Amino acid sequence: MSLETKVLSASTRTNLEALKHYMKKLGYSKFHEDARGWIKFGSAIEYVNVHLDTFMYDISIWSMEKAREIAEINQAILDFYEAEGIKE
C-alpha cells in the first residue's frame, strides 16, 4: 500500500521552505514530510514535529544546547502558522 503525499498550495510550500531554511540554520538538517500532514525536522535524537493543517507541534530536546534554542524554535513555528492563517 502506498501513501500519497499531500499536495500543498504554492503559498504553503513557500512558507514551509522558509521554515525548513530556519530549522536547518538551527541544526535540524534532516527533514521528512508524511502523508498525514506532519513534517519532522531532525538532529541526531532530537526532533521537532509540526502539523501543516492544525496548530499542533511537538519538540523533543535532549541537550542543553538545543534547549537554549526552544524560544527560537517556537517563534519559527508560530511565524509559519501565522503566515498560514492557522490559529489555536
Side-chain angles (χ1 to χ4, degrees):
M1 175 189 294
S2 66
L3 292 175
E4 294 182 25
T5 303
K6 182 178 178 180
V7 177
L8 302 176
S9 70
S11 64
T12 297
R13 183 60 59 193
T14 299
N15 293 333
L16 181 56
E17 288 301 319
L19 179 59
K20 282 171 56 176
H21 176 74
Y22 194 80
M23 294 300 285
K24 189 172 185 176
K25 191 170 96 172
L26 290 175
Y28 293 91
S29 57
K30 297 177 186 174
F31 172 81
H32 174 74
E33 185 177 333
D34 76 12
R36 297 170 299 157
W38 284 96
I39 55 174
K40 181 175 186 173
F41 300 97
S43 165
I45 62 171
E46 299 166 322
Y47 63 85
V48 176
N49 288 325
V50 178
H51 197 273
L52 294 176
D53 295 326
T54 58
F55 190 80
M56 295 188 312
Y57 63 97
D58 176 40
I59 301 173
S60 176
I61 303 293
W62 293 91
S63 71
M64 287 304 293
E65 178 182 333
K66 292 293 179 192
R68 291 184 187 102
E69 297 173 344
I70 287 178
E72 286 182 79
I73 294 168
N74 275 325
Q75 191 58 55
I77 295 168
L78 293 174
D79 290 347
F80 170 78
Y81 283 134
E82 182 178 345
E84 287 296 298
I86 298 171
K87 298 183 181 357
E88 291 183 58

